[in-house]
């Protein structure tokens, strides 16, 4: 069980270029504007309504249009992704994400967090996303357009950038299946059915489909 998902092609190169263009003329401010009491957050975040609307629309369409993202996350809703920057000496110390976030007039339960990488990791040093999963200590510095999706209740951090600039977008997802172990079990079962289903005897494949549907009904808390 991995509990996290790397997606190498969430964005096309054209989408990355467009997001970079939007960010180049947009205003970024101290990231603590959205978390003023944080003692570990040191970054810059987009603070430009027009740029936020354009960039978040591109990113949301990419996420919900990507089959592997949908299959892994079982998404009900997501916070519109926010572009952030880290310049030398900036970091985001070890933390777990808030359990609930405001999305318009509703609260969104943060089951999964997602970092979308927007610039070449060769253009900066440091700045790895470090995630603690049990006894595993994992670090990610993804290529432009790639993403990492991981449980929001894990301890994680962005290590200090020592040179260049780290440019990413972040978002939080509410899943139909809150429990990460159940979510990944159903994801794996669905993957096996998709890859091997046509090789199975038709009656056994139908039985597997029934199990998939029953588990989704039993474990899912949103339609």
């Amino acid at each position: 069980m991995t509990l996290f998902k790397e997606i190498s092609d969430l964005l096309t190169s054209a989408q990355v270029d467009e997001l970079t263009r939007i960010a180049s003329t947009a205003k970024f401010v101290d990231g603590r504007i959205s978390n003023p009491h944080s003692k570990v957050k040191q970054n810059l975040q987009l603070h430009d309504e027009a740029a936020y609307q354009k960039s978040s629309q591109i990113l949301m369409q990419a996420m919900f249009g990507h089959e592997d993202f949908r299959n892994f996350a079982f998404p009900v809703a997501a916070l519109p992704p926010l572009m952030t920057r880290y310049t030398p000496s900036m970091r985001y110390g070890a933390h777990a994400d808030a359990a609930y976030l405001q999305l318009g007039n509703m609260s969104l339960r943060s089951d999964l967090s997602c970092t979308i990488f927007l610039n070449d990791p060769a253009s900066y040093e440091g700045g790895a996303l470090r995630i603690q999963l049990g006894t595993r200590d994992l670090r990610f510095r993804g290529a432009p357009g790639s993403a990492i999706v991981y449980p929001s209740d894990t301890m994680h951090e962005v290590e200090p950038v020592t040179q260049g600039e780290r440019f990413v977008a972040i978002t939080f997802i509410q899943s139909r299946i809150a429990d990460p172990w159940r979510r990944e079990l159903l994801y794996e079962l669905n993957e096996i059915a998709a890859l091997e289903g046509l090789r199975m005897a038709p009656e056994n494949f139908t039985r597997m489909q029934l199990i998939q549907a029953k588990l989704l009904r039993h474990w899912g808390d949103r339609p």
Side-chain angles (χ1 to χ4, degrees):
M1 302 291 285
T2 60
L3 300 179
F4 67 92
K5 179 72 174 176
E6 292 181 85
I7 301 174
S8 63
D9 60 348
L10 186 74
L11 300 174
T12 65
S13 58
Q15 288 171 323
V16 172
D17 289 345
E18 178 62 11
L19 291 166
T20 302
R21 186 196 65 77
I22 292 170
S24 67
T25 58
K27 181 180 179 182
F28 283 72
V29 299
D30 187 334
R32 285 174 294 184
I33 191 173
S34 59
N35 191 0
H37 302 296
S38 174
K39 298 184 182 301
V40 297
K41 186 177 185 181
Q42 301 170 20
N43 65 3
L44 301 171
Q45 68 183 45
L46 184 65
H47 192 64
D48 181 315
E49 187 60 32
Y52 183 42
Q53 288 183 3
K54 290 179 183 177
S55 59
S56 63
Q57 182 179 32
I58 292 169
L59 290 159
M60 287 285 277
Q61 288 177 346
M63 288 192 316
F64 281 84
H66 197 286
E67 185 177 15
D68 214 15
F69 173 84
R70 296 195 309 270
N71 290 347
F72 179 78
F74 298 89
V76 170
L79 207 67
L82 177 67
M83 294 193 292
T84 68
R85 286 172 161 164
Y86 292 75
T87 57
S89 79
M90 288 186 175
R91 63 190 294 266
Y92 200 148
H95 65 284
D97 294 321
Y100 287 90
L101 299 162
Q102 201 65 28
L103 179 60
N105 295 323
M106 64 172 281
S107 291
L108 177 146
R109 187 185 64 227
S110 60
D111 297 317
L112 293 162
S113 300
C114 179
T115 295
I116 304 164
F117 299 96
L118 297 175
N119 68 332
D120 189 340
S123 67
Y124 62 94
E125 295 181 5
L129 171 64
R130 175 173 172 253
I131 305 173
Q132 297 177 40
L133 286 175
T135 59
R136 290 178 292 174
D137 199 14
L138 308 172
R139 286 174 171 81
F140 302 92
R141 282 165 41 94
S146 67
I148 174 76
V149 185
Y150 56 96
S152 298
D153 62 357
T154 54
M155 194 68 72
H156 58 280
E157 67 176 303
V158 176
E159 295 179 332
V161 171
T162 58
Q163 185 175 322
E165 179 181 275
R166 178 184 191 261
F167 179 38
V168 302
I170 58 170
T171 186
F172 308 92
I173 301 118
Q174 180 168 333
S175 175
R176 285 186 173 85
I177 303 174
D179 184 88
W181 292 95
R182 291 177 175 178
R183 184 168 58 245
E184 183 151 351
L185 282 170
L186 188 53
Y187 168 71
E188 292 291 344
L189 180 60
N190 291 348
E191 287 290 285
I192 292 169
L195 293 170
E196 302 293 336
L198 295 179
R199 303 181 189 180
M200 298 173 65
E203 60 273 20
N204 288 334
F205 184 45
T206 300
R207 290 173 67 191
M208 178 177 281
Q209 289 178 311
L210 178 60
I211 292 169
Q212 291 170 271
K214 283 186 174 182
L215 289 177
L216 185 56
R217 286 191 186 95
H218 185 64
W219 289 342
D221 60 7
R222 292 286 296 272

